[in-house]
Amino acid sequence: MTRSVGRIFSGFRCFGSLPFGNPPLKTQCSSVLFRTTSERTLMHALPKIFGRKPRDFSLPNSSWGKEMMQLYNHYNRLSKETTEGQEDHGEQWTRLPSYNRTLKYATGGVYLSKIIQSKARLFTRNIRDPGASFEYVIFFRQDKLKCACIFQAGHLLEGAPGHVHGGAIATMIDTITGTHASLLSAPVMTANLNINYRSPIPLGSTVLIESILDKEDGRKRYISCRVTSTDGSKLHTEATGLFLSISVSHLLKR
Protein backbone atom coordinates (compact mmCIF):
# COMPACT_ATOMS: atom_id res chain seq x y z
CA MET A 1 0.00 0.00 0.00
CA THR A 2 2.89 2.37 0.86
CA ARG A 3 4.49 1.74 -2.52
CA SER A 4 1.12 2.23 -4.21
CA VAL A 5 0.55 5.61 -2.55
CA GLY A 6 4.10 6.57 -3.43
CA ARG A 7 3.50 5.76 -7.08
CA ILE A 8 0.25 7.74 -7.04
CA PHE A 9 1.93 10.87 -5.71
CA SER A 10 4.75 10.37 -8.21
CA GLY A 11 2.00 10.44 -10.80
CA PHE A 12 0.70 13.72 -9.38
CA ARG A 13 4.16 15.23 -9.77
CA CYS A 14 4.26 13.92 -13.31
CA PHE A 15 0.89 15.50 -14.14
CA GLY A 16 2.02 18.77 -12.57
CA SER A 17 4.86 19.09 -15.08
CA LEU A 18 3.00 17.59 -18.02
CA PRO A 19 2.81 19.55 -21.31
CA PHE A 20 -0.68 19.02 -22.67
CA GLY A 21 0.52 18.50 -26.23
CA ASN A 22 2.89 15.60 -25.51
CA PRO A 23 1.04 12.22 -25.82
CA PRO A 24 4.13 10.02 -25.15
CA LEU A 25 4.62 11.65 -21.76
CA LYS A 26 0.92 11.23 -20.93
CA THR A 27 1.15 7.53 -21.73
CA GLN A 28 4.23 7.16 -19.57
CA CYS A 29 2.55 8.87 -16.60
CA SER A 30 -0.58 6.75 -16.99
CA SER A 31 1.48 3.60 -16.67
CA VAL A 32 2.81 4.90 -13.36
CA LEU A 33 -0.63 5.80 -12.02
CA PHE A 34 -2.83 2.90 -12.96
CA ARG A 35 -0.91 -0.30 -12.30
CA THR A 36 -3.41 -1.96 -9.99
CA THR A 37 -7.15 -1.94 -9.40
CA SER A 38 -6.68 -0.60 -5.87
CA GLU A 39 -4.65 2.32 -7.19
CA ARG A 40 -7.33 3.14 -9.77
CA THR A 41 -9.97 3.08 -7.01
CA LEU A 42 -7.90 5.42 -4.84
CA MET A 43 -7.33 7.76 -7.76
CA HIS A 44 -11.08 8.10 -8.30
CA ALA A 45 -11.52 8.89 -4.60
CA LEU A 46 -8.72 11.47 -4.35
CA PRO A 47 -10.61 14.39 -5.95
CA LYS A 48 -13.41 13.94 -3.40
CA ILE A 49 -10.92 13.64 -0.53
CA PHE A 50 -8.76 16.64 -1.38
CA GLY A 51 -11.21 18.83 -3.24
CA ARG A 52 -13.93 19.17 -0.61
CA LYS A 53 -14.06 22.56 1.04
CA PRO A 54 -13.76 22.25 4.84
CA ARG A 55 -16.73 23.34 6.94
CA ASP A 56 -16.01 25.95 9.59
CA PHE A 57 -18.14 24.87 12.56
CA SER A 58 -17.64 28.18 14.38
CA LEU A 59 -19.82 30.11 11.94
CA PRO A 60 -23.53 30.73 12.67
CA ASN A 61 -26.08 28.13 11.63
CA SER A 62 -29.85 27.74 11.92
CA SER A 63 -29.63 26.11 15.37
CA TRP A 64 -28.09 29.14 17.07
CA GLY A 65 -30.44 30.83 19.52
CA LYS A 66 -30.91 34.54 20.14
CA GLU A 67 -28.34 34.77 22.97
CA MET A 68 -25.77 32.85 20.93
CA MET A 69 -26.15 35.22 18.00
CA GLN A 70 -26.11 38.34 20.18
CA LEU A 71 -22.82 37.38 21.83
CA TYR A 72 -21.34 36.27 18.52
CA ASN A 73 -22.20 39.61 16.93
CA HIS A 74 -20.79 41.45 19.96
CA TYR A 75 -17.35 39.78 19.75
CA ASN A 76 -17.40 39.84 15.97
CA ARG A 77 -17.79 43.61 16.06
CA LEU A 78 -14.89 43.86 18.50
CA SER A 79 -12.81 41.74 16.14
CA LYS A 80 -13.30 44.22 13.30
CA GLU A 81 -13.55 47.60 14.98
CA THR A 82 -10.81 49.65 16.59
CA THR A 83 -11.79 52.92 18.19
CA GLU A 84 -10.62 55.74 15.96
CA GLY A 85 -7.78 57.76 17.40
CA GLN A 86 -6.92 55.18 20.10
CA GLU A 87 -4.05 52.74 20.18
CA ASP A 88 -4.77 49.02 20.08
CA HIS A 89 -3.45 47.54 23.33
CA GLY A 90 -4.34 43.96 22.41
CA GLU A 91 -8.00 44.42 23.27
CA GLN A 92 -9.21 43.64 19.77
CA TRP A 93 -10.64 40.12 19.43
CA THR A 94 -10.08 37.46 16.78
CA ARG A 95 -12.40 34.55 15.96
CA LEU A 96 -10.83 31.10 15.75
CA PRO A 97 -12.08 28.92 12.88
CA SER A 98 -13.00 25.39 13.97
CA TYR A 99 -13.01 22.28 11.80
CA ASN A 100 -13.84 18.60 12.21
CA ARG A 101 -10.15 18.06 12.83
CA THR A 102 -7.68 20.91 12.52
CA LEU A 103 -4.90 18.58 11.34
CA LYS A 104 -6.75 18.00 8.09
CA TYR A 105 -6.44 21.62 7.08
CA ALA A 106 -2.84 22.25 8.11
CA THR A 107 -0.14 22.13 5.43
CA GLY A 108 0.36 18.46 4.63
CA GLY A 109 -2.00 17.44 7.41
CA VAL A 110 -4.70 16.38 4.99
CA TYR A 111 -2.54 13.45 3.90
CA LEU A 112 -2.06 12.22 7.46
CA SER A 113 -5.67 12.60 8.51
CA LYS A 114 -7.42 11.43 5.37
CA ILE A 115 -5.17 8.51 4.42
CA ILE A 116 -3.51 7.35 7.64
CA GLN A 117 -6.09 8.50 10.19
CA SER A 118 -9.20 8.41 8.04
CA LYS A 119 -11.50 7.52 10.95
CA ALA A 120 -10.19 10.15 13.35
CA ARG A 121 -12.55 12.95 14.37
CA LEU A 122 -12.32 15.88 16.74
CA PHE A 123 -14.67 14.89 19.57
CA THR A 124 -16.56 18.17 19.96
CA ARG A 125 -17.07 18.45 16.18
CA ASN A 126 -18.00 14.81 15.56
CA ILE A 127 -21.78 15.40 15.42
CA ARG A 128 -22.59 17.15 12.16
CA ASP A 129 -26.27 17.70 12.98
CA PRO A 130 -26.44 21.45 13.86
CA GLY A 131 -27.47 22.14 17.44
CA ALA A 132 -27.46 18.51 18.60
CA SER A 133 -24.39 18.67 20.83
CA PHE A 134 -21.52 21.16 21.08
CA GLU A 135 -22.27 24.48 19.41
CA TYR A 136 -19.49 26.93 20.21
CA VAL A 137 -17.20 29.62 18.88
CA ILE A 138 -13.97 30.89 20.46
CA PHE A 139 -12.58 34.42 20.29
CA PHE A 140 -9.18 35.46 21.66
CA ARG A 141 -7.67 38.83 22.40
CA GLN A 142 -4.69 39.87 20.32
CA ASP A 143 -2.50 40.04 23.42
CA LYS A 144 -3.59 36.40 24.04
CA LEU A 145 -4.16 37.03 27.74
CA LYS A 146 -7.83 36.14 27.48
CA CYS A 147 -10.20 33.89 25.49
CA ALA A 148 -13.98 33.93 25.33
CA CYS A 149 -16.10 30.98 24.23
CA ILE A 150 -19.81 31.19 23.46
CA PHE A 151 -21.30 27.75 24.11
CA GLN A 152 -24.79 26.44 23.36
CA ALA A 153 -25.54 22.94 24.69
CA GLY A 154 -27.61 20.60 22.50
CA HIS A 155 -30.04 17.85 23.52
CA LEU A 156 -27.41 15.07 23.25
CA LEU A 157 -25.49 16.58 26.19
CA GLU A 158 -28.14 15.90 28.84
CA GLY A 159 -27.02 14.69 32.25
CA ALA A 160 -29.48 15.36 35.07
CA PRO A 161 -32.95 15.76 33.51
CA GLY A 162 -33.12 19.08 31.68
CA HIS A 163 -29.52 20.04 32.42
CA VAL A 164 -26.11 19.76 30.78
CA HIS A 165 -23.94 16.78 31.76
CA GLY A 166 -20.99 17.70 33.98
CA GLY A 167 -18.66 15.82 31.65
CA ALA A 168 -19.78 17.96 28.72
CA ILE A 169 -19.04 21.10 30.74
CA ALA A 170 -15.61 19.71 31.63
CA THR A 171 -15.00 18.98 27.95
CA MET A 172 -15.72 22.57 27.02
CA ILE A 173 -13.55 23.91 29.82
CA ASP A 174 -10.67 21.70 28.68
CA THR A 175 -11.30 22.78 25.09
CA ILE A 176 -11.13 26.51 25.70
CA THR A 177 -8.32 26.47 28.28
CA GLY A 178 -6.32 24.05 26.15
CA THR A 179 -6.91 26.19 23.06
CA HIS A 180 -5.83 29.25 25.02
CA ALA A 181 -2.63 27.52 26.16
CA SER A 182 -1.88 26.37 22.63
CA LEU A 183 -2.16 29.96 21.38
CA LEU A 184 0.60 30.83 23.81
CA SER A 185 2.90 27.89 23.03
CA ALA A 186 1.63 25.14 20.75
CA PRO A 187 1.54 22.22 21.12
CA VAL A 188 0.45 21.62 24.72
CA MET A 189 -1.06 18.85 26.82
CA THR A 190 -3.36 19.10 29.84
CA ALA A 191 -1.46 18.25 33.03
CA ASN A 192 -4.14 19.15 35.58
CA LEU A 193 -7.71 20.40 35.55
CA ASN A 194 -9.63 21.36 38.72
CA ILE A 195 -13.35 22.06 38.31
CA ASN A 196 -15.88 23.40 40.79
CA TYR A 197 -19.54 23.16 39.73
CA ARG A 198 -21.58 25.98 41.25
CA SER A 199 -24.98 25.80 39.55
CA PRO A 200 -26.40 23.58 36.79
CA ILE A 201 -26.68 24.75 33.19
CA PRO A 202 -30.14 24.32 31.62
CA LEU A 203 -30.06 22.16 28.51
CA GLY A 204 -30.29 24.21 25.34
CA SER A 205 -29.15 27.43 27.00
CA THR A 206 -26.17 29.57 26.02
CA VAL A 207 -23.31 30.36 28.40
CA LEU A 208 -20.08 32.34 28.25
CA ILE A 209 -16.81 30.57 29.05
CA GLU A 210 -13.90 32.93 29.73
CA SER A 211 -10.29 31.90 30.29
CA ILE A 212 -7.47 34.07 31.60
CA LEU A 213 -3.73 33.43 31.65
CA ASP A 214 -2.64 33.52 35.30
CA LYS A 215 1.05 32.65 35.04
CA GLU A 216 3.77 31.26 32.79
CA ASP A 217 6.66 29.29 34.26
CA GLY A 218 8.99 27.64 31.77
CA ARG A 219 6.96 24.97 29.97
CA LYS A 220 3.99 25.51 32.32
CA ARG A 221 0.92 27.61 31.53
CA TYR A 222 -1.53 28.27 34.38
CA ILE A 223 -4.99 29.26 33.16
CA SER A 224 -8.20 29.98 35.09
CA CYS A 225 -11.71 29.72 33.69
CA ARG A 226 -15.27 30.80 34.54
CA VAL A 227 -18.55 29.62 33.03
CA THR A 228 -21.32 32.19 33.49
CA SER A 229 -24.68 33.20 32.10
CA THR A 230 -24.42 35.39 29.02
CA ASP A 231 -24.91 38.58 31.05
CA GLY A 232 -22.36 37.44 33.66
CA SER A 233 -24.86 37.57 36.53
CA LYS A 234 -24.77 33.84 37.35
CA LEU A 235 -21.71 31.69 37.94
CA HIS A 236 -22.18 28.10 36.74
CA THR A 237 -18.67 26.66 36.96
CA GLU A 238 -15.12 27.76 37.69
CA ALA A 239 -11.87 25.93 37.03
CA THR A 240 -8.09 26.14 36.95
CA GLY A 241 -5.83 24.29 34.55
CA LEU A 242 -2.15 23.51 34.13
CA PHE A 243 -0.83 22.92 30.63
CA LEU A 244 2.63 21.81 29.53
CA SER A 245 4.20 22.80 26.23
CA ILE A 246 5.60 19.76 24.46
CA SER A 247 7.56 18.96 21.31
CA VAL A 248 5.96 17.71 18.12
CA SER A 249 8.00 14.51 18.42
CA HIS A 250 6.26 13.83 21.75
CA LEU A 251 2.87 13.96 20.01
CA LEU A 252 4.00 11.47 17.37
CA LYS A 253 5.07 8.82 19.89
CA ARG A 254 2.82 5.76 19.98
Side-chain angles (χ1 to χ4, degrees):
M1 179 62 184
T2 302
R3 287 194 295 271
S4 297
V5 172
R7 286 197 294 267
I8 288 170
F9 286 110
S10 295
F12 275 135
R13 288 194 295 271
C14 187
F15 273 126
S17 59
L18 194 63
F20 290 101
N22 197 330
L25 282 179
K26 290 183 182 179
T27 304
Q28 183 180 3
C29 287
S30 297
S31 66
V32 173
L33 285 171
F34 302 114
R35 292 179 182 175
T36 68
T37 302
S38 60
E39 288 175 37
R40 287 196 298 270
T41 302
L42 184 55
M43 280 302 299
H44 284 300
L46 283 173
K48 295 180 181 179
I49 291 175
F50 298 131
R52 187 175 62 190
K53 185 178 179 180
R55 174 187 168 188
D56 186 349
F57 285 85
S58 68
L59 293 173
N61 62 61
S62 59
S63 75
W64 285 21
K66 182 179 178 181
E67 286 185 303
M68 183 90 171
M69 281 304 307
Q70 285 177 339
L71 269 181
Y72 174 82
N73 289 332
H74 168 73
Y75 282 103
N76 208 37
R77 282 193 298 270
L78 293 177
S79 70
K80 297 177 180 178
E81 299 175 357
T82 303
T83 305
E84 187 176 353
Q86 294 185 2
E87 293 184 12
D88 178 15
H89 298 289
E91 296 178 359
Q92 192 174 10
W93 294 79
T94 301
R95 181 184 66 86
L96 287 176
S98 182
Y99 302 104
N100 187 307
R101 189 171 180 82
T102 306
L103 174 64
K104 292 179 183 178
Y105 310 108
T107 302
V110 67
Y111 301 103
L112 290 174
S113 187
K114 284 292 189 178
I115 295 177
I116 300 173
Q117 302 177 36
S118 61
K119 294 184 179 179
R121 294 290 183 273
L122 181 64
F123 174 62
T124 55
R125 296 306 191 191
N126 194 29
I127 306 298
R128 291 182 175 271
D129 185 17
S133 56
F134 298 92
E135 285 291 339
Y136 67 95
V137 54
I138 299 175
F139 290 84
F140 73 95
R141 270 186 12 181
Q142 287 186 346
D143 59 11
K144 298 181 181 178
L145 297 179
K146 189 173 183 179
C147 280
C149 173
I150 311 164
F151 169 50
Q152 178 181 285
H155 65 274
L156 295 181
L157 303 184
E158 186 177 41
H163 293 88
V164 183
H165 195 290
I169 299 170
T171 295
M172 285 309 305
I173 289 173
D174 189 38
T175 296
I176 185 173
T177 52
T179 297
H180 191 171
S182 68
L183 290 171
L184 300 167
S185 55
V188 298
M189 294 190 75
T190 308
N192 182 269
L193 198 62
N194 290 310
I195 301 176
N196 292 308
Y197 297 97
R198 301 302 186 189
S199 61
I201 299 174
L203 200 65
S205 65
T206 299
V207 295
L208 180 63
I209 309 174
E210 296 176 294
S211 67
I212 299 174
L213 173 66
D214 291 329
K215 185 174 67 172
E216 293 182 286
D217 182 13
R219 295 173 53 219
K220 299 177 180 179
R221 305 290 180 268
Y222 295 88
I223 295 177
S224 59
C225 181
R226 285 166 53 91
V227 183
T228 67
S229 56
T230 54
D231 61 3
S233 63
K234 189 169 187 177
L235 175 63
H236 292 291
T237 313
E238 55 187 352
T240 57
L242 168 61
F243 299 86
L244 297 179
S245 60
I246 59 174
S247 64
V248 174
S249 60
H250 184 86
L251 281 177
L252 296 177
K253 289 180 181 178
R254 294 185 180 273

